Protein backbone atom coordinates (compact mmCIF):
# COMPACT_ATOMS: atom_id res chain seq x y z
CA UNK A 1 0.00 0.00 0.00
CA UNK A 2 1.35 3.44 -0.87
CA UNK A 3 1.96 6.02 1.84
CA UNK A 4 -0.92 8.12 0.54
CA UNK A 5 -3.32 5.14 0.50
CA UNK A 6 -2.28 4.22 4.05
CA UNK A 7 -2.94 7.76 5.24
CA UNK A 8 -6.33 7.72 3.57
CA UNK A 9 -7.24 4.36 5.12
CA UNK A 10 -6.20 5.60 8.58
CA UNK A 11 -8.30 8.74 8.09
CA UNK A 12 -11.32 6.66 7.05
CA UNK A 13 -10.87 4.45 10.10
CA UNK A 14 -10.68 7.47 12.41
CA UNK A 15 -13.78 8.91 10.83
CA UNK A 16 -15.66 5.62 11.25
CA UNK A 17 -14.74 5.44 14.94
CA UNK A 18 -15.71 9.08 15.45
CA UNK A 19 -19.02 8.50 13.69
CA UNK A 20 -19.99 5.53 15.86
CA UNK A 21 -19.06 7.41 19.00
CA UNK A 22 -21.07 10.44 17.94
CA UNK A 23 -24.05 8.32 16.97
CA UNK A 24 -24.07 6.69 20.42
CA UNK A 25 -23.75 10.10 22.10
CA UNK A 26 -26.58 11.57 20.08
CA UNK A 27 -28.84 8.59 20.73
CA UNK A 28 -28.19 8.98 24.44
CA UNK A 29 -29.07 12.67 24.28
CA UNK A 30 -32.33 11.94 22.43
CA UNK A 31 -33.24 9.36 25.03
CA UNK A 32 -32.57 11.79 27.85
CA UNK A 33 -34.66 14.46 26.12
CA UNK A 34 -37.61 12.08 25.76
CA UNK A 35 -37.29 11.01 29.39
CA UNK A 36 -37.32 14.64 30.63
CA UNK A 37 -40.34 15.43 28.47
CA UNK A 38 -42.25 12.43 29.81
CA UNK A 39 -41.35 13.48 33.35
CA UNK A 40 -42.61 17.02 32.75
CA UNK A 41 -45.81 15.74 31.15
CA UNK A 42 -46.48 13.47 34.16
CA UNK A 43 -45.93 16.41 36.52
CA UNK A 44 -48.34 18.56 34.45
CA UNK A 45 -45.52 21.01 33.71
CA UNK A 46 -45.60 20.77 29.93
CA UNK A 47 -46.76 23.95 28.24
CA UNK A 48 -49.26 22.80 25.60
CA UNK A 49 -49.13 26.04 23.63
CA UNK A 50 -45.32 25.89 23.34
CA UNK A 51 -45.62 22.33 22.10
CA UNK A 52 -48.28 23.31 19.56
CA UNK A 53 -46.11 26.20 18.38
CA UNK A 54 -43.17 23.84 17.93
CA UNK A 55 -45.35 21.47 15.92
CA UNK A 56 -46.60 24.32 13.70
CA UNK A 57 -43.00 25.44 13.15
CA UNK A 58 -42.05 21.92 12.10
CA UNK A 59 -45.03 21.73 9.72
CA UNK A 60 -44.06 25.09 8.20
CA UNK A 61 -40.51 23.81 7.77
CA UNK A 62 -41.75 20.69 6.02
CA UNK A 63 -43.85 22.71 3.57
CA UNK A 64 -40.81 24.85 2.64
CA UNK A 65 -40.74 28.02 0.57
CA UNK A 66 -42.67 26.73 -2.39
CA UNK A 67 -40.11 27.68 -5.03
CA UNK A 68 -38.36 25.00 -7.00
CA UNK A 69 -34.67 24.85 -7.88
CA UNK A 70 -33.48 22.93 -10.89
CA UNK A 71 -29.88 21.79 -11.02
CA UNK A 72 -29.13 21.45 -14.72
CA UNK A 73 -26.69 18.52 -14.99
CA UNK A 74 -26.45 18.62 -18.78
CA UNK A 75 -22.77 19.68 -18.83
CA UNK A 76 -21.30 16.27 -17.97
CA UNK A 77 -19.26 15.99 -21.17
CA UNK A 78 -17.64 19.40 -20.71
CA UNK A 79 -15.96 18.58 -17.41
CA UNK A 80 -12.78 16.74 -16.49
CA UNK A 81 -12.89 13.83 -14.04
CA UNK A 82 -11.69 16.13 -11.24
CA UNK A 83 -14.34 18.70 -12.05
CA UNK A 84 -17.04 16.00 -11.98
CA UNK A 85 -15.82 14.94 -8.54
CA UNK A 86 -15.86 18.53 -7.38
CA UNK A 87 -19.36 18.99 -8.77
CA UNK A 88 -20.57 15.91 -6.87
CA UNK A 89 -19.15 17.39 -3.66
CA UNK A 90 -20.98 20.64 -4.43
CA UNK A 91 -24.20 18.68 -4.99
CA UNK A 92 -23.74 17.04 -1.59
CA UNK A 93 -23.17 20.44 0.08
CA UNK A 94 -26.26 21.74 -1.68
CA UNK A 95 -28.37 18.85 -0.49
CA UNK A 96 -27.00 19.06 3.02
CA UNK A 97 -27.79 22.81 3.21
CA UNK A 98 -31.31 22.17 1.94
CA UNK A 99 -31.86 19.40 4.43
CA UNK A 100 -30.89 21.63 7.34
CA UNK A 101 -32.69 24.74 6.07
CA UNK A 102 -35.61 26.42 7.84
CA UNK A 103 -37.42 26.70 4.49
CA UNK A 104 -36.10 24.08 2.09
CA UNK A 105 -36.62 24.18 -1.66
CA UNK A 106 -37.80 21.32 -3.80
CA UNK A 107 -34.68 20.25 -5.67
CA UNK A 108 -34.95 18.87 -9.17
CA UNK A 109 -31.75 17.51 -10.70
CA UNK A 110 -32.26 17.16 -14.46
CA UNK A 111 -30.25 15.54 -17.30
CA UNK A 112 -28.53 13.13 -14.91
CA UNK A 113 -26.28 11.04 -17.12
CA UNK A 114 -22.74 9.98 -17.87
CA UNK A 115 -19.88 10.27 -15.43
CA UNK A 116 -21.82 12.40 -12.95
CA UNK A 117 -24.34 9.60 -12.54
CA UNK A 118 -21.58 6.95 -12.35
CA UNK A 119 -19.84 8.94 -9.65
CA UNK A 120 -23.01 9.40 -7.59
CA UNK A 121 -23.93 5.72 -8.00
CA UNK A 122 -20.49 4.67 -6.76
CA UNK A 123 -20.80 6.57 -3.52
CA UNK A 124 -22.41 4.84 -0.58
CA UNK A 125 -24.48 2.48 -2.67
CA UNK A 126 -26.22 5.23 -4.65
CA UNK A 127 -27.41 7.03 -1.51
CA UNK A 128 -28.21 10.16 -3.56
CA UNK A 129 -31.45 8.47 -4.65
CA UNK A 130 -32.69 8.66 -1.09
CA UNK A 131 -32.03 12.39 -0.61
CA UNK A 132 -35.15 14.11 0.73
CA UNK A 133 -36.83 16.99 -1.15
CA UNK A 134 -34.82 15.87 -4.20
CA UNK A 135 -35.92 14.44 -7.53
CA UNK A 136 -33.57 13.05 -10.19
CA UNK A 137 -34.47 13.11 -13.87
CA UNK A 138 -32.63 11.70 -16.85
CA UNK A 139 -34.68 14.10 -18.92
CA UNK A 140 -33.96 17.74 -19.41
CA UNK A 141 -35.82 20.47 -17.50
CA UNK A 142 -37.77 21.26 -20.65
CA UNK A 143 -40.15 18.49 -19.51
CA UNK A 144 -41.42 21.10 -17.07
CA UNK A 145 -43.23 22.77 -19.88
CA UNK A 146 -43.63 19.81 -22.22
CA UNK A 147 -44.22 16.04 -21.98
CA UNK A 148 -41.17 13.78 -22.11
CA UNK A 149 -40.72 11.53 -25.10
CA UNK A 150 -43.12 13.48 -27.27
CA UNK A 151 -41.75 15.34 -30.25
CA UNK A 152 -42.20 19.07 -29.96
CA UNK A 153 -44.56 19.28 -32.92
CA UNK A 154 -46.92 16.68 -31.35
CA UNK A 155 -46.60 18.39 -27.99
CA UNK A 156 -47.52 21.74 -29.33
CA UNK A 157 -50.44 20.22 -31.20
CA UNK A 158 -51.78 18.52 -28.04
CA UNK A 159 -51.32 21.38 -25.56
CA UNK A 160 -52.48 24.94 -26.03
CA UNK A 161 -49.53 27.20 -26.77
CA UNK A 162 -50.69 29.67 -24.12
CA UNK A 163 -50.39 27.00 -21.38
CA UNK A 164 -46.88 26.08 -22.48
CA UNK A 165 -45.89 29.73 -22.46
CA UNK A 166 -47.26 30.28 -18.94
CA UNK A 167 -45.26 27.33 -17.61
CA UNK A 168 -42.10 28.50 -19.30
CA UNK A 169 -42.54 32.07 -18.12
CA UNK A 170 -42.21 30.88 -14.52
CA UNK A 171 -38.69 29.63 -15.13
CA UNK A 172 -35.54 31.72 -14.62
CA UNK A 173 -32.05 30.51 -15.50
CA UNK A 174 -29.56 31.94 -13.01
CA UNK A 175 -26.40 33.00 -14.73
CA UNK A 176 -23.68 35.46 -13.68
CA UNK A 177 -23.51 36.73 -17.29
CA UNK A 178 -27.11 37.99 -17.45
CA UNK A 179 -27.78 41.72 -17.80
CA UNK A 180 -30.87 41.30 -15.61
CA UNK A 181 -30.67 41.31 -11.85
CA UNK A 182 -33.00 39.27 -9.70
CA UNK A 183 -34.84 41.35 -7.07
CA UNK A 184 -36.70 38.72 -5.12
CA UNK A 185 -37.43 35.01 -5.25
CA UNK A 186 -41.05 34.05 -5.78
CA UNK A 187 -42.66 30.87 -4.43
CA UNK A 188 -44.36 30.08 -7.75
CA UNK A 189 -41.16 30.34 -9.79
CA UNK A 190 -38.51 27.81 -10.73
CA UNK A 191 -34.83 28.78 -10.73
CA UNK A 192 -32.25 26.87 -12.73
CA UNK A 193 -28.63 26.65 -11.60
CA UNK A 194 -26.04 25.31 -14.05
CA UNK A 195 -24.53 22.24 -12.35
CA UNK A 196 -21.09 22.90 -13.68
CA UNK A 197 -17.54 23.26 -12.41
CA UNK A 198 -15.44 24.84 -15.14
CA UNK A 199 -13.10 27.36 -13.49
CA UNK A 200 -15.00 29.77 -15.72
CA UNK A 201 -13.44 28.23 -18.83
CA UNK A 202 -16.82 28.35 -20.58
CA UNK A 203 -17.78 31.98 -20.26
CA UNK A 204 -21.43 32.76 -21.11
CA UNK A 205 -22.27 29.06 -21.39
CA UNK A 206 -25.48 29.14 -19.35
CA UNK A 207 -26.33 32.65 -20.53
CA UNK A 208 -26.13 31.49 -24.17
CA UNK A 209 -28.14 28.35 -23.35
CA UNK A 210 -30.93 30.33 -21.69
CA UNK A 211 -31.00 32.85 -24.54
CA UNK A 212 -31.11 30.13 -27.20
CA UNK A 213 -33.94 28.33 -25.40
CA UNK A 214 -35.81 31.60 -24.80
CA UNK A 215 -35.77 31.13 -21.03
CA UNK A 216 -35.75 34.21 -18.78
CA UNK A 217 -32.40 34.73 -17.10
CA UNK A 218 -30.98 36.77 -14.24
CA UNK A 219 -27.90 37.16 -12.08
CA UNK A 220 -27.82 37.55 -8.32
CA UNK A 221 -27.75 41.23 -7.26
CA UNK A 222 -24.25 40.98 -5.77
CA UNK A 223 -22.83 44.36 -6.86
CA UNK A 224 -25.93 46.19 -5.61
CA UNK A 225 -25.48 45.01 -2.04
CA UNK A 226 -21.77 44.33 -1.66
CA UNK A 227 -19.94 47.28 -3.20
CA UNK A 228 -16.54 45.61 -2.86
CA UNK A 229 -17.61 42.71 -5.08
CA UNK A 230 -18.08 42.73 -8.85
CA UNK A 231 -21.60 42.75 -10.26
CA UNK A 232 -20.91 39.64 -12.29
CA UNK A 233 -19.15 37.46 -9.81
CA UNK A 234 -19.25 33.76 -10.64
CA UNK A 235 -20.00 31.60 -7.62
CA UNK A 236 -20.12 27.84 -7.12
CA UNK A 237 -23.35 25.82 -7.34
CA UNK A 238 -23.70 25.35 -3.59
CA UNK A 239 -22.87 29.00 -2.84
CA UNK A 240 -25.63 30.20 -5.17
CA UNK A 241 -28.04 27.71 -3.65
CA UNK A 242 -27.12 28.60 -0.06
CA UNK A 243 -27.52 32.32 -0.81
CA UNK A 244 -31.03 31.59 -2.04
CA UNK A 245 -31.85 29.58 1.07
CA UNK A 246 -30.55 32.41 3.25
CA UNK A 247 -32.58 34.98 1.32
CA UNK A 248 -35.76 32.94 1.86
CA UNK A 249 -35.00 32.86 5.56
CA UNK A 250 -34.04 36.55 5.98
CA UNK A 251 -35.50 38.31 2.87
CA UNK A 252 -32.25 40.24 2.88
CA UNK A 253 -29.74 39.88 0.04
CA UNK A 254 -26.97 41.70 1.87
CA UNK A 255 -27.19 39.34 4.81
CA UNK A 256 -27.38 36.34 2.50
CA UNK A 257 -24.23 37.37 0.58
CA UNK A 258 -22.34 38.24 3.75
CA UNK A 259 -23.24 34.91 5.26
CA UNK A 260 -22.31 32.69 2.33
CA UNK A 261 -19.52 34.38 0.37
CA UNK A 262 -16.20 33.86 2.20
CA UNK A 263 -14.96 37.09 3.79
CA UNK A 264 -11.56 36.93 2.13
CA UNK A 265 -13.33 37.24 -1.24
CA UNK A 266 -14.38 40.75 -0.27
CA UNK A 267 -10.79 41.65 0.55
CA UNK A 268 -9.39 40.04 -2.62
CA UNK A 269 -11.77 42.00 -4.79
CA UNK A 270 -11.10 45.23 -2.95
CA UNK A 271 -7.42 44.79 -3.71
CA UNK A 272 -8.13 44.04 -7.37
CA UNK A 273 -10.58 46.91 -7.77
CA UNK A 274 -8.48 49.48 -5.87
CA UNK A 275 -8.07 52.86 -7.59
CA UNK A 276 -10.01 51.74 -10.63
CA UNK A 277 -12.98 53.39 -12.22
CA UNK A 278 -16.15 51.29 -12.27
CA UNK A 279 -15.82 50.10 -15.84
CA UNK A 280 -12.16 49.24 -15.38
CA UNK A 281 -13.07 47.42 -12.21
CA UNK A 282 -15.62 45.32 -14.06
CA UNK A 283 -13.04 44.42 -16.66
CA UNK A 284 -10.36 43.51 -14.14
CA UNK A 285 -12.83 41.48 -12.20
CA UNK A 286 -14.09 39.48 -15.12
CA UNK A 287 -10.48 38.58 -15.93
CA UNK A 288 -9.90 37.77 -12.31
CA UNK A 289 -12.94 35.57 -11.98
CA UNK A 290 -11.13 32.53 -13.26
CA UNK A 291 -8.70 32.97 -10.39
CA UNK A 292 -11.47 33.40 -7.86
CA UNK A 293 -13.19 30.28 -9.04
CA UNK A 294 -9.99 28.30 -8.77
CA UNK A 295 -9.49 29.26 -5.15
CA UNK A 296 -13.18 28.63 -4.39
CA UNK A 297 -12.86 25.21 -5.78
CA UNK A 298 -9.68 24.57 -3.91
CA UNK A 299 -11.78 25.26 -0.84
CA UNK A 300 -14.23 22.62 -1.93
CA UNK A 301 -11.58 19.97 -1.71
CA UNK A 302 -12.17 17.18 -4.18
CA UNK A 303 -12.37 14.24 -1.92
CA UNK A 304 -14.61 11.20 -2.02
CA UNK A 305 -14.84 11.33 1.75
CA UNK A 306 -16.51 14.74 1.47
CA UNK A 307 -19.53 13.33 -0.23
CA UNK A 308 -19.60 10.23 1.91
CA UNK A 309 -19.54 12.33 5.06
CA UNK A 310 -22.60 14.30 4.01
CA UNK A 311 -24.41 11.13 3.02
CA UNK A 312 -23.51 9.36 6.26
CA UNK A 313 -24.49 12.35 8.39
CA UNK A 314 -27.76 12.36 6.57
CA UNK A 315 -28.39 8.71 7.32
CA UNK A 316 -27.64 9.46 10.93
CA UNK A 317 -30.22 12.24 10.97
CA UNK A 318 -32.74 9.93 9.32
CA UNK A 319 -32.12 7.21 11.89
CA UNK A 320 -32.83 9.74 14.64
CA UNK A 321 -35.95 11.19 13.06
N1 LIG B 1 -19.23 29.26 -16.90
C1 LIG B 1 -20.35 28.79 -16.13
C2 LIG B 1 -20.18 29.08 -14.66
C3 LIG B 1 -20.68 27.96 -13.78
S1 LIG B 1 -20.86 28.45 -12.09
C4 LIG B 1 -21.64 29.40 -16.71
O1 LIG B 1 -21.64 29.77 -17.89
O2 LIG B 1 -22.66 29.48 -15.98
C5 LIG B 1 -22.23 27.41 -11.64
C6 LIG B 1 -23.62 28.00 -11.76
O3 LIG B 1 -23.92 28.83 -10.65
C7 LIG B 1 -23.89 28.86 -12.97
O4 LIG B 1 -24.18 28.11 -14.10
C8 LIG B 1 -25.09 29.70 -12.52
O5 LIG B 1 -26.30 28.98 -12.68
C9 LIG B 1 -24.82 29.87 -11.05
N2 LIG B 1 -24.16 31.16 -10.74
C10 LIG B 1 -22.87 31.38 -10.40
N3 LIG B 1 -22.68 32.68 -10.14
C11 LIG B 1 -23.86 33.31 -10.29
C12 LIG B 1 -24.32 34.66 -10.16
N4 LIG B 1 -23.50 35.66 -9.80
N5 LIG B 1 -25.62 34.95 -10.41
C13 LIG B 1 -26.47 33.97 -10.78
N6 LIG B 1 -26.10 32.68 -10.92
C14 LIG B 1 -24.82 32.35 -10.68
Amino acid sequence: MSKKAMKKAAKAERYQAFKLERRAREKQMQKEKRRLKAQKRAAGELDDSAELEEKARKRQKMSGFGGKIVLDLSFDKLMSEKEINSLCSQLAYTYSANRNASYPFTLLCTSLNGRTRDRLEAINDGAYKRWTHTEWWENSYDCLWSSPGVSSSTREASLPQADLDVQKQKIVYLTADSGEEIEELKPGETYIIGALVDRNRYKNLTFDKATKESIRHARLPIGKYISSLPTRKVLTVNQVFEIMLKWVETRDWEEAFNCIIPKRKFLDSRKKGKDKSLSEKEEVVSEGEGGDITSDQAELKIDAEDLEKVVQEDQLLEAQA
Side-chain angles (χ1 to χ4, degrees):
M1 208 191 254
S2 72
K3 212 171 159 189
K4 199 173 161 196
M6 269 162 65
K7 259 181 143 174
K8 213 168 175 183
K11 194 173 163 193
E13 208 173 293
R14 275 200 309 278
Y15 179 69
Q16 191 65 15
F18 164 75
K19 197 183 77 183
L20 290 175
E21 193 191 306
R22 194 181 52 180
R23 184 171 292 177
R25 213 173 36 237
E26 282 171 344
K27 269 198 171 153
Q28 190 58 38
M29 271 161 61
Q30 288 275 334
K31 218 170 141 184
E32 182 60 16
K33 234 171 138 181
R34 273 198 300 271
R35 193 186 63 77
L36 280 174
K37 207 170 178 183
Q39 213 175 38
K40 275 191 176 171
R41 186 172 287 121
E45 287 171 10
L46 212 60
D47 180 352
D48 281 351
S49 63
E51 225 184 342
L52 282 175
E53 238 172 65
E54 174 68 13
K55 274 198 182 140
R57 207 179 51 78
K58 272 194 185 151
R59 250 199 316 277
Q60 168 78 35
K61 183 173 169 174
M62 291 308 288
S63 62
F65 170 63
K68 211 184 252 166
I69 305 255
V70 170
L71 298 179
D72 175 15
L73 292 155
S74 65
F75 309 103
D76 187 81
K77 291 199 174 75
L78 300 178
M79 286 180 277
S80 71
E81 209 66 35
K82 271 189 161 187
E83 287 167 343
I84 298 246
N85 292 352
S86 182
L87 174 67
C88 290
S89 292
Q90 293 187 18
L91 295 179
Y93 288 127
T94 298
Y95 161 67
S96 172
N98 202 36
R99 200 189 195 300
N100 295 316
S102 313
Y103 302 97
F105 285 103
T106 298
L107 260 180
L108 182 56
C109 306
T110 59
S111 302
L112 175 66
N113 281 300
R115 289 168 301 155
T116 311
R117 195 221 310 257
D118 294 346
R119 167 86 179 149
L120 289 168
E121 284 288 345
I123 291 159
N124 219 332
D125 202 17
Y128 73 98
K129 283 180 266 190
R130 298 186 288 279
W131 289 1
T132 45
H133 300 297
T134 315
E135 256 181 69
W136 297 90
W137 288 8
E138 260 179 47
N139 287 314
S140 150
Y141 51 71
D142 68 4
C143 291
L144 287 169
W145 64 87
S146 58
S147 347
V150 184
S151 77
S152 68
S153 52
T154 325
R155 219 184 288 142
E156 278 160 29
S158 62
L159 270 175
Q161 186 61 44
D163 284 359
L164 293 174
D165 289 348
V166 169
Q167 286 301 97
K168 205 170 167 180
Q169 268 308 308
K170 290 183 189 157
I171 292 167
V172 181
Y173 210 125
L174 294 174
T175 170
D177 297 306
S178 175
E180 301 293 320
E181 227 167 44
I182 208 154
E183 282 175 14
E184 56 171 3
L185 304 176
K186 297 186 181 138
E189 295 200 325
T190 295
Y191 302 93
I192 309 180
I193 300 177
L196 174 71
V197 171
D198 67 337
R199 293 174 165 81
N200 217 17
R201 180 167 69 250
Y202 305 110
K203 283 202 191 343
N204 292 328
L205 187 71
T206 49
F207 172 70
D208 289 345
K209 188 176 185 202
T211 311
K212 196 165 146 231
E213 295 175 5
S214 309
I215 298 173
R216 284 159 62 206
H217 49 76
R219 62 171 189 248
L220 294 172
I222 304 178
K224 200 183 213 168
Y225 292 93
I226 311 286
S227 59
S228 57
L229 281 183
T231 319
R232 296 182 185 204
K233 182 161 182 58
V234 185
L235 301 169
T236 62
V237 175
N238 59 302
Q239 281 173 341
V240 172
F241 182 79
E242 286 175 47
I243 285 168
M244 294 168 87
L245 277 180
K246 200 76 200 165
W247 183 87
V248 169
E249 192 189 316
T250 60
R251 307 287 155 141
D252 183 337
W253 285 116
E254 191 174 350
E255 190 177 341
F257 294 136
N258 276 321
C259 245
I260 309 300
I261 305 176
K263 283 284 162 300
R264 62 175 176 73
K265 297 264 140 219
F266 295 17
L267 301 171
D268 285 357
S269 304
R270 212 170 286 149
K271 249 186 272 157
K272 273 180 209 154
K274 210 168 142 190
D275 301 330
K276 304 249 181 244
S277 72
L278 197 64
S279 60
E280 277 175 314
K281 186 180 164 193
E282 275 210 328
E283 231 170 87
V284 168
V285 161
S286 63
E287 273 168 23
E289 270 169 5
D292 278 350
I293 275 289
T294 313
S295 54
D296 264 352
Q297 283 160 350
E299 240 169 56
L300 288 164
K301 202 166 153 284
I302 305 154
D303 187 347
E305 283 167 35
D306 251 3
L307 183 52
E308 270 163 25
K309 253 183 239 169
V310 174
V311 169
Q312 284 168 355
E313 273 164 17
D314 183 54
Q315 283 169 347
L316 175 61
L317 282 169
E318 248 153 38
Q320 285 170 358

